[in-house]
Amino acid sequence: MLARPAAQAPPWLLPLLVVLLLMSGICGLIYQVLWLRLLALTFGVTVHAAATVLASFMGGLALGSLVAGRLADRSTSPLRLFGFVEVSIGLFAVASPVVLSGLQSAFVRASPYLPESVFVGSLIRVVLSFLVLLVPTALMGATMPIVIKSSLARMEGLGARAGLLYAANTGGAIAGALLAGFYLIPRLGLSRGFLFAAAINTTVGLLAITASRWLPKTSVAPDQAASSITQIPPPASDRAALVVLAVAGVSGFASLALEVVWFRVLTIFLGPTSYTFTVMLAAVLTGIAIGSALAAPLLRWRRLDWMQALALLQFAGAALILGSFTGILAPGDAPVWLHRALASAGIEFAVGSVAMSLTVVLPASLFFGMAFPIGLRLWAGAEGHAAETGRRVGLFYSVNVGGGILGSLLAGFLLLPVLGSRASLILLAALYVGAGIALQLLCAPRRPLLTGLMTAGLVALMIQASGVPDPLEIIHRRIYAGRPVVWQDEGMQTTVAVVGGTNNRVLFLDGRHQANDSPGMTFIHRRIGLLPVVLHERPLRALVVGLGGGATPGAMSQFPGTSVDVIELSRGVIDAAAYFGHINFDIRKNPNVHIRLDDGRNFLQRVRTPYDVITADAIIPRHAGANSLNSVEYFRLVRGALAPQGIALHWNGGATEPEYQLILRAFVAAFPHTTLWGDGSLMVGTLEPLTLSRSRIESLLAAPQTRSVLGLMNVETFDHLERVFRASTADIRAYLGEGPLLSDDRPLLEYFASLPTIERDLTKIGRQSGDLIRP
């Protein structure tokens, strides 16, 4: 019996699918940004945590794509199925913050009964987070194969349709990344950001379900599906299609690994702020979207050899990758028109990020976008498989994403620490060359001349690889100003360098000054460590979050009877501390100091024996991740880890008055008794009113050992210490008044562009030293 012809698609179907996938892409990136922030609070901000979270996220996408492809082939209404998937994404996404918070609370309560091991704790978090994200991310991964199946049920041209839809989805992702990074998080917060994205998901789902009612249910016969797909261009053989599938996995691996390498290098030149990451991610997505959009009309050309085109794209991509580091601009190289455009949008501070991202990241990303729909067309349209389009699309997408999972993990854990950024870039370009060679061998019998030219091109690529600049050398010239590099390490967590001479050493983290051995800087860091142990009646156990150059815990360790624990994220920073032994009292060999590689918040959640003193050598407040060490939730963790008479000291590095007030207000919300010391940047929190005993301080000054310790912060009399006092709790509350509270939900500190730029003026804080109790 002859099969009934498939109904002609209504003219509005393809535009509708483009709009729906655009909106779905917006939600997908909003969720990704929000989940990464939430899971960083649960997991910590270690590179291991970030890589595992990303792998869990992408693993769900791959699984969803694989399963959805099979469901789409069996569905008589793929568009309706897509609608239900979108509504389900919104429901599960809204629930995810509540579930994650509950699991985190349960983990904290159970931590006293778990082994005191970073590995065990991380493993439990991995499993719990993966289970929470599995359903919503799998549903998100299902959308692309289902929509592509919807577009093909009554339309021709898999490659062209896939390219257009992929471009629309990626275009939505660009908007989602920018929307989340520049508006939703600073203006609405994480919780309402989830509600915003879920509302869009629900709208998309309802539109799809409603539109599906206007389409008749169909079951396209295999021969008709084949004819609708194979009209343009001719499909690949099974053997060639398998090669294309393998190339998709390699491309996914190399592209995600490249993003890690690019982001690590560009962060050094642009600064590790949340805006930098947002702009770089948007640049990658822009390249992919433009490339996919360009491929869509090209795929309608019937006479092109698309296997050969895909091979050429691999070689071209390798050349663009090898040339990407040459696009690292010097300060001030951005064109005038870009300054004007971003100034009109109110984000001129991001001009450096935009300019460098466009020159380094965008060209190769265009290649990623063009290659995907071409490879998908060659794989999904292979001979004899046209009736299984949904399943094959899902498999192709999952293999590509699976490769990306491996790429993101290995780039952070292996490539950068072992090979460095330059060698990693060359290796990843070589993977594209290998993929191109595999494809070219399939084309060699019918394209001998072009194959010969490609061989000559390989020689040119090898020559180009030898000329790839080393980012560390560029950093040495521009950031370190040609000063001698004593030691450096491109580690998993960060790029660490010790620069300068014997008595003029500077510690750089990701190209930013962290500490130095000058007398002024050494005094500041030593006082951060010494002031709380001097104020405490009997400081036996002390904790320092962040090692830096080691001057803070080193000074603490000199106070008699005090044992110091240090929590540091980066192994490279711990190794670099050996080069500052002359100011940190050689803490790596000090038996009173115990340095642990961990995330500060995670460690505080697992504290079993409370500390008498807790302080922090924290990162710059505007840097990415800084909000987690300045929010009211963090300060409450500190308060919970203190002994009843404990003292917490925290450095307030707010660059403007609004930033300073945000940090101070969060600290005051956690500590009922807060005082300010020094220049007003040292916040001291206690559970009871602070007692400053003249007799105790004078007895410390009378003993030679403790007198020398107090001398490290220029305290030789009781009056010297009293003059360090700046403001009481009453003074602070009068100064702060009402205002927003810095929280995990609204990390305003990292999104400083949304805050007023009012110069900090600490003379507004009055001084009432009589509020100090002096028994």
Side-chain angles (χ1 to χ4, degrees):
M1 182 177 69
L2 293 176
R4 181 167 53 88
Q8 182 66 31
W12 49 263
L13 180 57
L14 182 58
L16 175 66
L17 292 176
V18 168
V19 172
L20 294 181
L21 266 187
L22 179 77
M23 296 171 68
S24 179
I26 292 174
C27 298
L29 255 292
I30 290 175
Y31 289 140
Q32 182 176 349
V33 172
L34 298 180
W35 277 329
L36 285 174
R37 290 206 68 95
L38 279 181
L39 291 171
L41 299 172
T42 302
F43 247 133
V45 294
T46 63
V47 68
H48 305 82
T52 306
V53 168
L54 182 61
S56 300
F57 178 85
M58 297 184 67
L61 296 181
L63 179 63
S65 176
L66 190 62
V67 173
R70 298 178 181 274
L71 293 177
D73 283 329
R74 299 174 185 174
S75 175
T76 58
S77 180
L79 186 58
R80 185 178 62 182
L81 177 62
F82 167 74
F84 284 118
V85 166
E86 285 291 310
V87 173
S88 301
I89 291 172
L91 293 175
F92 280 101
V94 167
S96 61
V98 179
V99 177
L100 279 171
S101 177
L103 290 175
Q104 177 67 7
S105 299
F107 177 81
V108 171
R109 288 194 297 270
S111 60
Y113 309 101
L114 299 174
E116 195 168 348
S117 166
V118 177
F119 174 78
V120 172
S122 297
L123 181 61
I124 294 173
R125 285 181 168 88
V126 168
V127 174
L128 294 179
S129 300
F130 178 76
L131 292 176
V132 172
L133 290 186
L134 179 61
V135 174
T137 55
L139 290 169
M140 290 164 64
T143 57
M144 182 61 72
I146 292 175
V147 171
I148 289 179
K149 183 67 176 179
S150 298
S151 72
L152 290 174
R154 299 169 181 81
M155 299 181 188
E156 299 176 347
L158 169 60
R161 304 293 180 189
L164 181 59
L165 295 172
Y166 189 60
N169 191 245
T170 308
I174 299 167
L178 295 174
L179 187 62
F182 284 92
Y183 180 78
L184 286 181
I185 295 176
R187 299 294 182 182
L188 300 182
L190 272 63
S191 300
R192 286 191 286 179
F194 275 106
L195 293 174
F196 177 86
I200 298 178
N201 271 132
T202 303
T203 302
V204 169
L206 295 177
L207 286 174
I209 293 170
T210 302
S212 69
R213 297 184 177 183
W214 295 85
L215 298 174
K217 295 181 180 179
T218 60
S219 180
V220 182
D223 58 333
Q224 293 164 353
S227 88
S228 70
I229 294 173
T230 58
Q231 289 186 25
I232 49 171
S237 66
D238 278 350
R239 181 172 65 90
L242 288 174
V243 173
V244 171
L245 185 63
V247 168
V250 171
S251 297
F253 175 93
S255 62
L256 262 292
L258 276 167
E259 287 187 31
V260 174
V261 173
W262 282 333
F263 286 5
R264 171 66 68 83
V265 171
L266 293 186
T267 296
I268 295 174
F269 294 97
L270 300 173
T273 69
S274 296
Y275 294 113
T276 297
F277 295 120
T278 297
V279 170
M280 286 191 289
L281 178 60
V284 171
L285 294 172
T286 299
I288 293 174
I290 295 174
S292 299
L294 291 174
L298 295 178
L299 279 163
R300 298 185 182 277
W301 295 2
R302 303 187 182 188
R303 296 184 179 181
L304 282 181
D305 185 340
W306 291 105
M307 187 71 72
Q308 180 65 75
L310 188 59
L312 289 172
L313 281 174
Q314 305 301 308
F315 294 124
L320 291 171
I321 291 166
L322 291 173
S324 61
F325 281 171
T326 60
I328 297 176
L329 304 174
D333 282 353
V336 175
W337 64 266
L338 185 60
H339 280 278
R340 291 175 178 171
L342 296 183
S344 63
I347 55 172
E348 190 174 8
F349 65 90
V351 66
S353 300
V354 174
M356 200 173 293
S357 298
L358 291 178
T359 56
V360 174
V361 175
L362 185 64
S365 300
L366 287 168
F367 148 75
F368 300 156
M370 292 189 70
F372 184 86
I374 293 174
L376 176 60
R377 172 60 187 85
L378 290 169
W379 160 254
E383 292 178 359
H385 298 286
E388 302 175 334
T389 305
R391 182 183 67 82
R392 292 179 73 82
V393 168
L395 179 59
F396 184 89
Y397 189 65
S398 62
V399 167
N400 183 258
V401 174
I405 296 172
L406 291 176
S408 63
L409 290 173
L410 291 183
F413 290 127
L414 182 63
L415 295 184
L416 281 171
V418 175
L419 300 179
S421 54
R422 180 180 183 274
S424 296
L425 187 85
I426 294 173
L427 175 62
L428 295 172
L431 289 179
Y432 280 105
V433 171
I437 291 173
L439 292 169
Q440 191 62 43
L441 290 175
L442 296 173
C443 304
R446 62 180 185 275
R447 306 283 184 186
L449 179 60
L450 192 54
T451 301
L453 292 175
M454 288 298 99
T455 304
L458 289 178
V459 176
L461 284 175
M462 293 175 62
I463 297 173
Q464 183 185 4
S466 65
V468 172
D470 188 346
L472 292 180
E473 294 180 0
I474 303 174
I475 294 167
H476 184 224
R477 293 195 309 271
R478 295 188 189 170
I479 298 178
Y480 306 154
R483 288 177 290 180
V485 177
V486 179
W487 178 86
Q488 63 185 358
D489 173 58
E490 283 190 286
M492 288 187 292
Q493 187 68 36
T494 187
T495 298
V496 184
V498 179
V499 176
T502 305
N503 295 312
N504 185 25
R505 287 183 177 170
V506 181
L507 175 65
F508 285 93
L509 302 185
D510 286 332
R512 292 301 179 271
H513 176 279
Q514 174 68 20
N516 63 58
D517 61 358
S518 67
M521 181 64 70
T522 301
F523 169 78
I524 290 172
H525 285 285
R526 284 177 174 174
R527 188 166 67 173
I528 291 174
L530 285 175
L531 180 61
V533 296
V534 169
L535 294 177
H536 196 281
E537 289 289 333
R538 194 177 176 214
L540 299 179
R541 300 185 74 239
L543 173 68
V544 179
V545 178
L547 176 60
T552 296
M556 268 186 168
S557 70
Q558 300 305 295
F559 199 87
T562 302
S563 175
V564 182
D565 292 338
V566 183
I567 305 301
E568 172 55 47
L569 273 176
S570 171
R571 171 65 63 184
V573 172
I574 296 175
D575 294 337
Y579 297 91
F580 292 89
H582 55 295
I583 65 167
N584 63 30
F585 299 96
D586 208 3
I587 59 171
R588 290 182 19 127
K589 298 179 181 178
N590 190 327
N592 290 341
V593 179
H594 311 93
I595 303 175
R596 178 170 180 161
L597 195 67
D598 201 351
D599 173 79
R601 286 183 64 133
N602 276 349
F603 180 81
L604 286 168
Q605 291 169 352
R606 302 191 306 272
V607 168
R608 298 180 180 180
T609 305
Y611 286 93
D612 299 308
V613 169
I614 299 178
T615 185
D617 192 353
I619 60 177
I620 303 301
R622 290 187 174 188
H623 287 182
N627 196 90
S628 65
L629 294 181
N630 289 279
S631 67
V632 64
E633 289 87 353
Y634 169 76
F635 292 134
R636 286 169 180 164
L637 284 174
V638 172
R639 183 186 65 188
L642 279 176
Q645 303 300 319
I647 294 178
L649 183 146
H650 194 85
W651 172 66
N652 186 333
T656 64
E657 186 167 21
E659 293 172 28
Y660 176 85
Q661 289 182 334
L662 278 172
I663 299 172
L664 182 57
R665 189 176 288 113
F667 193 84
V668 170
F671 290 96
H673 301 280
T674 299
T675 52
L676 293 180
W677 297 74
D679 61 352
S681 64
L682 302 182
M683 306 180 299
V684 172
T686 56
L687 304 181
E688 300 294 336
L690 183 63
T691 300
L692 185 61
S693 169
R694 177 183 288 270
S695 61
R696 176 178 174 270
I697 299 302
E698 289 180 346
S699 66
L700 292 176
L701 291 169
Q705 185 177 4
T706 49
R707 182 173 64 247
S708 64
V709 173
L710 268 68
L712 295 175
M713 59 176 190
N714 295 342
V715 172
E716 298 178 357
T717 67
F718 176 82
D719 292 338
H720 288 166
L721 179 59
E722 189 176 32
R723 281 198 291 269
V724 180
F725 174 78
R726 180 59 183 263
S728 68
T729 303
D731 301 330
I732 295 168
R733 295 188 183 278
Y735 162 72
L736 287 176
E738 297 296 327
L741 186 64
L742 187 64
S743 65
D744 292 339
D745 187 67
R746 289 195 69 194
L748 294 171
L749 201 60
E750 294 177 38
Y751 296 90
F752 51 87
S754 61
L755 299 173
T757 55
I758 303 172
E759 186 175 351
R760 193 170 74 175
D761 182 8
L762 297 183
T763 61
K764 298 177 182 178
I765 305 179
R767 172 172 170 160
Q768 300 176 17
S769 58
D771 286 2
L772 284 175
I773 301 174
R774 302 180 189 82

